[in-house]
Amino acid sequence: MKRGPIPDEDDTVARKGRVVTTTEGWPELLRCTSTKPPPILLDELIEEILLRIPASSLVRLRNSLCSSWRTLISSSQFAKDHLRRSMAVDPALSHPRIAYYSSSDSYPTIGTFSVRSVFENPPHEPTKVVAYEGRCYRSIIGSCHGLLCLHDEELEDRALLWNPCTGFTSPPLEIGGIFHYCGFGYDHVNDKYKLFGIVIKKSGESVTRIFTFGPKSKWRTIQDFPYRLHDSDSKDSVVGLVGLFVSGTGTLNWLVRSRLSSSVAVLSVDLVKETYSQFSAPSRDSDDEEFVFPRLGILRGCLAVCYETKKTHWTLWLMKDYGVPRSWTKLAIIPHHPLLVNPGSCYVLLPMYMLKNDVLLAKSPSGKFVLCNLNDGSIEFPNIDSSSDGMTEHRPLSRGEGSRIFHIYHESLVSPSHFGLPSCSSEMRLFKPSL
């Protein structure tokens, strides 16, 4: 492979020492047919160019690329290199999106929408939801490297991996029971994707297991999870069922709050060592309401904790050095707003995503999405059009969550076939609402 066309006057292409700064000209750059003789490009340069194109653009263009380029971008090594570059150099290559499902009704659809659109679109231009339909109702266990791990809620004993960007899924895999306290992440030492969970068998017995995805996918029973669901005798309780994966650490994380004091800790499952650890969260005010639960999030690749303080504001903390309690840093104090609070809710503001200019996307206790400017204290309510998600019993997203559960994911080229699983595109398809 030595040739590929480059438009004569495309300032988005690095030439004569100039740096690629935008991607507006990529469709023309990547066309393999031209009326002019194409210049000769080294394979290494072609790959460097392709690595600078967003994953979603490569997916849209793959059917019009020449076969050698399609083979390149479909390879597992290219997917890894593209993912590594997007994480370390240019996050814009893996556009962040939000996926959600209904937690109260068995809808077979999963909705997704662009985080960038939520930040950038004016109120009169709503962010559009793209919905996908499965063969049955599925919940989302977690996300990692562009993959969503889905749980078959009807048969209760199967899970599958799905990349919404590429459309590929793995076949449903038997997990042998109902999940509690679960999570999905990546073992960066052994290059393995893993599913963690407490499996409740039909006999009522519970076991803690880690499932490793691969050509010989298998369960491994590990030490019991330190806490049990609805354990009234325990002095501590875990906040939330799904652990958050922190990229680069190989860990799933939950908040643990004391029922006897104001103390809060982070419980961690190490997917590499398959062991547990616990470290302290920031101290919160002893006057804080005990029944109002803190929330755990991930901002800029770091753990974030949000507390309600004195019933007047929320305090947001960021852990700059994972696992080091002294690195907790107070990021912001966000005053209560009448449209954000919900006196009947036992949860606080949920941090979801933050731009470099310190604008925070969060889900409020009232269920509304909100954009909080941490510099000047202003807030905005994004307009999200969820009319096409097929969840007809729920109110529109712009008016509140409506019993939906949300997960942030970043678009990538990672496919189940890259780590030994068969891939298909028939399990999840674009949803077409009936007229």
Side-chain angles (χ1 to χ4, degrees):
M1 179 175 64
K2 296 291 184 183
R3 297 178 179 270
I6 295 181
D8 291 337
E9 300 296 331
D10 189 345
D11 62 13
T12 66
V13 180
R15 61 174 71 191
K16 295 183 180 179
R18 290 158 58 187
V19 178
V20 177
T21 57
T22 70
T23 59
E24 294 177 357
W26 293 122
E28 289 300 320
L29 169 66
L30 294 175
R31 295 188 187 281
C32 291
T33 58
S34 174
T35 57
K36 299 180 181 180
I40 296 175
L41 286 178
L42 296 176
D43 290 350
E44 294 80 1
L45 180 57
I46 292 174
E47 183 169 353
E48 282 298 316
I49 292 173
L50 294 176
L51 284 173
R52 286 164 168 77
I53 303 176
S56 55
S57 298
L58 288 173
V59 169
R60 287 196 300 269
L61 292 167
R62 63 187 173 189
N63 291 332
S64 60
L65 298 178
C66 55
S67 60
S68 59
W69 291 15
R70 283 199 303 271
T71 300
L72 173 64
I73 66 173
S74 299
S75 69
S76 61
Q77 187 58 52
F78 183 87
K80 289 180 181 179
D81 293 342
H82 191 277
L83 179 67
R84 188 180 302 113
R85 180 177 181 83
S86 66
M87 294 173 65
V89 181
D90 187 2
L93 295 177
S94 56
H95 297 162
R97 295 184 67 85
I98 293 178
Y100 65 89
Y101 68 96
S102 169
S103 62
S104 61
D105 296 280
S106 297
Y107 293 109
T109 54
I110 290 177
T112 74
F113 58 92
S114 166
V115 171
R116 176 181 291 182
S117 176
V118 169
F119 279 102
E120 296 179 354
N121 283 14
H124 65 274
E125 188 178 327
T127 293
K128 296 291 186 180
V129 166
V130 177
Y132 297 86
E133 185 175 26
R135 297 179 178 178
C136 57
Y137 170 62
R138 294 190 173 106
S139 61
I140 302 173
I141 292 176
S143 65
C144 173
H145 295 172
L147 295 170
L148 296 180
C149 184
L150 308 183
H151 183 211
D152 189 330
E153 291 285 339
E154 293 181 355
L155 295 178
E156 297 181 338
D157 62 354
R158 298 196 304 176
L160 62 85
L161 301 182
W162 171 46
N163 185 328
C165 180
T166 64
F168 291 121
T169 64
S170 70
L173 304 165
E174 300 294 328
I175 60 176
I178 304 172
F179 262 153
H180 292 298
Y181 294 137
C182 56
F184 170 67
Y186 177 65
D187 171 354
H188 57 285
V189 173
N190 299 298
D191 190 23
K192 300 290 185 182
Y193 289 89
K194 293 182 176 181
L195 172 61
F196 167 89
I198 299 176
V199 178
I200 311 298
K201 297 182 177 181
K202 294 180 180 179
S203 64
E205 177 191 5
S206 66
V207 291
T208 304
R209 291 174 169 172
I210 287 183
F211 185 86
T212 301
F213 293 97
K216 296 181 180 180
S217 299
K218 61 181 180 179
W219 281 110
R220 172 179 165 82
T221 299
I222 66 170
Q223 179 185 354
D224 285 344
F225 194 68
Y227 300 93
R228 284 289 176 263
L229 191 67
H230 307 311
D231 185 355
S232 58
D233 296 329
S234 175
K235 298 179 181 179
D236 302 312
S237 62
V238 178
V239 181
L241 297 179
V242 176
L244 294 184
F245 176 71
V246 180
S247 184
T249 70
T251 63
L252 299 170
N253 300 268
W254 292 259
L255 280 183
V256 179
R257 69 183 188 97
S258 172
R259 291 174 174 173
L260 303 178
S261 68
S262 60
S263 65
V264 179
V266 175
L267 172 67
S268 169
V269 174
D270 189 322
L271 295 177
V272 179
K273 300 177 181 178
E274 301 185 351
T275 56
Y276 306 99
S277 62
Q278 193 163 303
F279 51 86
S280 60
S283 299
R284 61 173 179 168
D285 198 299
S286 59
D287 295 333
D288 292 351
E289 291 287 351
E290 180 184 347
F291 70 88
V292 179
F293 297 169
R295 301 299 290 267
L296 186 67
I298 297 176
L299 300 176
R300 297 175 179 166
C302 300
L303 282 179
V305 173
C306 188
Y307 296 143
E308 183 175 65
T309 305
K310 299 185 182 300
K311 298 183 180 180
T312 60
H313 59 275
W314 296 288
T315 306
L316 184 60
W317 296 80
L318 195 69
M319 188 176 223
K320 294 188 175 181
D321 189 1
Y322 179 82
V324 180
R326 65 175 178 272
S327 71
W328 284 112
T329 304
K330 186 180 292 186
L331 185 64
I333 293 177
I334 304 172
H336 283 186
H337 185 283
L339 295 177
L340 299 181
V341 297
N342 178 4
S345 174
C346 60
Y347 287 101
V348 302
L349 194 78
L350 174 63
M352 299 192 73
Y353 196 83
M354 187 165 61
L355 294 180
K356 289 183 178 179
N357 61 359
D358 292 336
V359 177
L360 171 72
L361 171 64
K363 189 164 70 68
S364 69
S366 68
K368 289 179 174 291
F369 280 100
V370 60
L371 296 173
C372 304
N373 189 315
L374 303 185
N375 293 317
D376 61 19
S378 62
I379 64 172
E380 294 181 17
F381 296 98
N383 186 4
I384 304 173
D385 180 7
S386 59
S387 59
S388 62
D389 69 6
M391 301 180 190
T392 54
E393 299 299 319
H394 294 323
R395 57 185 175 179
L397 273 180
S398 293
R399 291 173 49 197
E401 63 183 27
S403 298
R404 299 172 174 99
I405 305 295
F406 302 88
H407 290 262
I408 294 276
Y409 72 96
H410 294 258
E411 292 181 329
S412 81
L413 299 172
V414 177
S415 170
S417 64
H418 294 161
F419 43 96
L421 290 173
S423 291
C424 67
S425 57
S426 61
E427 288 289 338
M428 302 294 297
R429 295 184 175 181
L430 283 172
F431 174 67
K432 297 180 179 179
S434 56
L435 299 179

